[in-house]
Amino acid sequence: QDQLAESGGGLVQAGGSLRLSCEASRRVFSRGTMDWYRQASGKQRELVATITSNGRRNYADSVKGRFTISRDNADNTVYLHMNSLKPEDTAVYFCHATVPPAIVEGSVMEYWGSGTLVTVSS
């Protein structure tokens, strides 16, 4: 099934930590670039972190040094380890996958999870 499933959201005090998980199908995960996005209430969805199939990572400036994205290839799971959480990190966090085409003429396919809510209290 070509579906992403996030988990791990919840309520945490400022300065605390959470780990989000995103499970993907083997077909999607094995070749895909995996991302975490977030969308706060009333704001646009923004890219938080990305990790390629070979482990290259990038982060939004707002989370650098605090968040770590990783992937477990055996379990087809990508994680977002969030430390030193701030109230402004409160948002629905979405897992996203970008899968390159199998042929040169093909199109990139994208998949989204349904989101998991992270609430950081002050």
Side-chain angles (χ1 to χ4, degrees):
Q1 295 178 348
D2 295 334
Q3 184 176 358
L4 306 179
E6 306 101 329
S7 62
L11 174 64
V12 64
Q13 290 279 345
S17 300
L18 284 174
R19 187 185 77 169
L20 306 183
S21 300
C22 172
E23 298 181 9
S25 69
R26 184 176 299 276
R27 183 176 66 84
V28 170
F29 188 88
S30 63
R31 301 182 65 246
T33 293
M34 307 297 296
D35 310 291
W36 285 99
Y37 284 76
R38 69 185 180 188
Q39 186 168 20
S41 180
K43 298 185 180 296
Q44 295 188 82
R45 189 171 298 185
E46 64 175 348
L47 178 63
V48 175
T50 185
I51 185 167
T52 67
S53 59
N54 64 2
R56 182 182 178 187
R57 298 170 172 85
N58 284 291
Y59 300 93
D61 288 341
S62 60
V63 306
K64 284 182 179 178
R66 299 189 298 118
F67 290 11
T68 302
I69 188 171
S70 62
R71 59 193 297 158
D72 186 333
N73 293 330
D75 293 334
N76 302 319
T77 302
V78 63
Y79 300 96
L80 186 67
H81 300 260
M82 304 183 293
N83 299 314
S84 302
L85 283 162
K86 305 175 180 179
E88 50 263 44
D89 295 319
T90 296
V92 176
Y93 284 72
F94 297 90
C95 185
H96 173 260
T98 302
V99 182
I103 59 176
V104 174
E105 298 84 1
S107 299
V108 173
M109 295 181 291
E110 296 183 63
Y111 300 90
W112 289 95
S114 59
T116 185
L117 176 63
V118 172
T119 302
V120 184
S121 62
S122 60

